Amino acid sequence: MSAVGQQEEQLSQSDLSPSSNSSSSFEIIDMDAASLYEPVSPHWFYCKIIDSKETWIPFNAEDSQRLEEAYGSDKDCNGRVVPTDGGRYDVHLGERMRYAVYWDELASEVRRCTWFYKGDKDNKYVPYSESFSQQLEETYMLAVTLDEWKKKLESPNREIIILHNPKLMVHYHLVARSDEWGSIPAEQGRPRTVKRGVENISVDIPCGEPLQIDHLVFVVHGIGPACDLRFRSIVQCVNDFRGVSLNLLQTHFKKAQEQQQIGRVEFLPVNWHSPLHSTGVDVDLRRITLPSINRLRHFTNDTILDVFFYNSPTYCQTIVDTVASEMNRIYKLFLQRNPNFKGGVSIAGHSLGSLILFDLLTNQKDPLEENDSEKVIPRVVLDQGDTLDLEEDLKKLQLSEFCNLFKKEKIDKAALALCTERDLQEMGIPLGPRKKILNYFKNGENIQSVNKQNQQSALGGNLPVLSEKSKDCNSTGGAGNEEYLDISIGQASVKYPRLIYKPDIFFAFGSPIGMFLTVRGLKRIDPNYKLPTCKGFFNIYHPK
């Protein structure tokens, strides 16, 4: 008897349990199908607007795996937050949104991607929605299991996808075609390629970053909202810094990094342009801006005028407050998110940003050597022997009504020279009289300078010094009798905030510090001068 005949005889003798035999045969078919079908491996992407166009960018392999593990542990994902991109972004899984941690940025959509189609213009693959990708995967599984292809699906926007075979799947883009009867949907143009799984599309998945952070660097931008000739933002430029740093680790310290002997350097941007121009000054500028050569004038308002803002005591205070408060805020937030961080902190400034940091660091106080009382650094100091009556000067300014207020606060001319605009404001003196008083009592015609000893006491003796040759240099030995006079290098009435940490190094890129110090009256900095709370200073510039 043949084998086929034996199988038929066995089946005829099993009438008592047909259901079990039937079940067994179906199980054999399922096992065969399972050997042909393999579930797709998902990868997580986020959507970013680049050149006014949506672009889907893959997370690095480590971040995608962490997101997938969080998704697998809780499909609802309500309230689940996963840090990504070295901790600079948080992904809220329930919302499928990605948020920047340290700076303001529009949130990005996040998607668990398994199926893709090729775009129209840039030929980059675009992921389908998660719900439709699931429909595609279920249809694909049936086609593989039953070996029945040419499956047709309709997408949510009524476009047609056809699965011809595992290697040929297409997406027909439907457009409206009008005739005398109205618009008719029709297939048009070459079909788009459809791919299953990220491994089948041409996309560069970035490498992950070491978890260990050895050093933190704050980067402060210069004039304008754009930071380079490509008109990129401070965030994009700082991303380049970080990328170059990671590449150096891979090329020069790969073995040490693999053995976890060294970590990485984290670069974080500090933005002061947006807070400054959100004060309402742009509205005032537009009101006085001439309509001719519109683009040039608005470009000037957004960029070059930042230099004038920094020379204005009012807006300079806004700028230094913003820079200091942002660096303090980001530092505290960074420590909260990285409690094991034991590395140092450095700061870098480009263009006007380097000048802002220089003034800020010059006016810091070492908490180990100074007490916490605020010290005001005036531009000029009154001679202690000056006995002119304060009331007479207020009468000249037609501000006699404030004489009793100054008497009540026991303020004479010497004390007034140490007052800032904020001090006068706290006394209740209106803006107009404040400006008149500060201008009158701090100009060169009305004030005599003090001797060197009094000046060092008033200024703290911890600022760059102006080198001047003695008037009697020819009779006293020429240049050898050189004396240094301490002067203030900051703005006239600016109070510099305190940083909550001591920077290790200050890097200046393309810095105008030398020019501004010269304009302020400095001719030479004492070679022995050091920033009060910063160990080192590197002025980096192109030699040509």
Side-chain angles (χ1 to χ4, degrees):
M1 182 179 294
S2 66
V4 176
Q6 291 178 356
Q7 290 180 355
E8 291 177 350
E9 183 177 357
Q10 290 175 358
L11 289 174
S12 62
Q13 293 176 357
S14 60
D15 293 336
L16 296 177
S17 58
S19 59
S20 61
N21 292 336
S22 176
S23 174
S24 175
S25 63
F26 279 114
E27 287 177 1
I28 294 174
I29 294 175
D30 290 341
M31 290 176 63
D32 292 340
S35 65
L36 296 175
Y37 170 77
E38 293 183 2
V40 64
S41 298
H43 195 93
W44 291 75
F45 283 65
Y46 64 92
C47 183
K48 195 169 185 178
I49 304 299
I50 300 178
D51 297 332
S52 303
K53 183 175 61 176
E54 289 187 352
T55 303
W56 286 92
I57 302 175
F59 285 95
N60 63 60
E62 290 83 356
D63 286 344
S64 181
Q65 183 178 355
R66 281 192 286 268
L67 289 167
E68 184 64 20
E69 291 174 354
Y71 171 82
S73 62
D74 183 7
K75 293 297 180 63
D76 293 334
C77 302
N78 292 328
R80 194 70 181 267
V81 178
V82 179
T84 62
D85 300 273
R88 296 180 297 275
Y89 290 88
D90 281 342
V91 172
H92 294 231
L93 279 181
E95 303 176 19
R96 291 294 198 275
M97 298 297 289
R98 172 178 176 264
Y99 296 92
V101 174
Y102 298 105
W103 57 84
D104 292 332
E105 183 179 307
L106 292 177
S108 305
E109 181 185 353
V110 172
R111 192 173 289 180
R112 182 177 182 264
C113 303
T114 53
W115 285 77
F116 306 83
Y117 67 91
K118 185 174 287 189
D120 288 329
K121 297 179 180 179
D122 53 9
N123 289 329
K124 291 184 178 180
Y125 283 92
V126 180
Y128 288 103
S129 66
E130 292 187 33
S131 58
F132 188 65
S133 293
Q134 186 175 358
Q135 296 181 33
L136 285 169
E137 183 66 17
E138 292 173 353
T139 304
Y140 177 85
M141 181 182 65
L142 289 175
V144 171
T145 303
L146 303 176
D147 195 22
E148 295 179 0
W149 291 94
K150 294 190 176 180
K151 298 285 187 179
K152 183 182 292 186
L153 292 87
E154 185 176 288
S155 67
N157 56 351
R158 304 187 67 81
E159 296 181 349
I160 303 300
I161 295 91
I162 301 178
L163 310 183
H164 291 283
N165 57 60
K167 296 184 179 180
L168 179 59
M169 296 174 283
V170 293
H171 178 145
Y172 289 95
H173 178 58
L174 301 183
V175 296
R177 187 178 62 183
S178 300
D179 58 12
E180 62 273 14
W181 300 99
S183 60
I184 302 175
E187 299 176 2
Q188 182 173 333
R190 297 180 61 183
R192 306 175 187 177
T193 304
V194 176
K195 294 292 184 180
R196 175 179 178 265
V198 69
E199 64 275 4
N200 294 318
I201 65 175
S202 56
V203 61
D204 294 328
I205 298 177
C207 298
E209 302 177 24
L211 297 178
Q212 178 184 342
I213 300 175
D214 289 343
H215 204 82
L216 174 64
V217 179
F218 293 113
V219 183
V220 180
H221 64 84
I223 61 174
C227 297
D228 64 0
L229 296 178
R230 295 162 60 184
F231 294 96
R232 295 184 302 170
S233 67
I234 178 64
V235 174
Q236 293 172 305
C237 292
V238 171
N239 287 343
D240 274 0
F241 270 98
R242 192 182 304 108
V244 170
S245 175
L246 292 173
N247 289 336
L248 287 175
L249 289 177
Q250 288 291 325
T251 55
H252 292 72
F253 306 97
K254 186 175 182 179
K255 185 175 180 180
Q257 190 178 17
E258 290 175 351
Q259 297 175 356
Q260 297 184 348
Q261 295 176 354
I262 61 172
R264 63 183 175 90
V265 180
E266 178 62 280
F267 294 85
L268 296 178
V270 177
N271 180 22
W272 56 265
H273 182 270
S274 298
L276 169 66
H277 287 261
S278 63
T279 59
V281 65
D282 285 356
V283 177
D284 297 332
L285 288 175
R286 284 194 294 268
R287 181 171 50 84
I288 63 173
T289 299
L290 296 176
S292 59
I293 50 176
N294 186 280
R295 290 186 178 182
L296 178 60
R297 294 188 186 276
H298 283 288
F299 174 79
T300 302
N301 290 351
D302 274 345
T303 55
I304 300 176
L305 284 187
D306 285 345
V307 177
F308 295 95
F309 286 140
Y310 189 67
N311 286 325
S312 162
T314 301
Y315 294 108
C316 179
Q317 187 69 62
T318 301
I319 293 173
V320 296
D321 285 347
T322 300
V323 171
S325 63
E326 274 295 285
M327 289 198 295
N328 287 339
R329 179 190 67 84
I330 296 174
Y331 181 67
K332 291 179 181 178
L333 182 58
F334 178 82
L335 292 182
Q336 291 176 5
R337 298 175 64 88
N338 301 273
N340 297 324
F341 176 73
K342 303 297 182 183
V345 182
S346 294
I347 57 178
H350 172 248
S351 182
L352 183 61
S354 63
L355 177 65
I356 297 170
L357 292 176
F358 183 79
D359 287 344
L360 191 61
L361 291 177
T362 302
N363 290 274
Q364 293 296 296
K365 294 184 294 184
D366 190 338
L368 299 179
E369 299 176 0
E370 301 280 351
N371 55 32
D372 292 333
S373 60
E374 293 183 350
K375 179 173 63 179
V376 178
I377 301 178
R379 174 171 290 178
V380 291
V381 182
L382 287 172
D383 187 353
Q384 300 297 327
D386 189 4
T387 57
L388 293 178
D389 191 2
L390 178 61
E391 294 186 10
E392 294 180 2
D393 293 323
L394 291 175
K395 288 180 181 179
K396 292 179 182 179
L397 297 174
Q398 297 180 352
L399 299 174
S400 301
E401 65 269 24
F402 299 106
C403 291
N404 293 332
L405 183 58
F406 283 107
K407 289 181 180 179
K408 179 181 177 181
E409 298 292 339
K410 297 182 180 180
I411 294 179
D412 55 11
K413 293 181 68 174
L416 182 58
L418 300 175
C419 292
T420 64
E421 183 177 1
R422 185 173 296 180
D423 295 328
L424 299 181
Q425 183 179 4
E426 293 176 355
M427 290 172 57
I429 299 177
L431 177 61
R434 287 202 308 268
K435 295 295 185 181
K436 290 182 180 180
I437 292 172
L438 289 173
N439 180 65
Y440 181 80
F441 286 99
K442 290 192 176 183
N443 61 39
E445 298 177 357
N446 192 42
I447 302 173
Q448 301 177 8
S449 60
V450 295
N451 57 34
K452 180 181 179 181
Q453 182 177 0
N454 287 336
Q455 197 173 35
Q456 287 178 340
S457 176
L459 298 177
N462 201 21
L463 293 172
V465 294
L466 171 65
S467 173
E468 290 184 346
K469 293 183 178 180
S470 171
K471 294 179 180 179
D472 301 327
C473 60
N474 292 331
S475 61
T476 58
N481 189 18
E482 192 178 61
E483 54 180 33
Y484 293 94
L485 301 178
D486 290 320
I487 67 171
S488 173
I489 65 164
Q491 305 300 326
S493 57
V494 175
K495 292 181 71 174
Y496 290 92
R498 174 79 65 83
L499 297 178
I500 60 177
Y501 53 87
K502 291 184 178 181
D504 290 345
I505 302 294
F506 167 37
F507 300 94
F509 303 107
S511 173
I513 293 176
M515 182 191 68
F516 273 81
L517 294 185
T518 301
V519 171
R520 293 174 184 176
L522 273 78
K523 297 180 181 178
R524 180 184 175 190
I525 294 180
D526 183 358
N528 297 320
Y529 173 72
K530 295 181 179 179
L531 296 171
T533 60
C534 187
K535 300 176 184 178
F537 172 34
F538 292 93
N539 187 22
I540 302 171
Y541 59 92
H542 198 283
K544 295 182 180 179

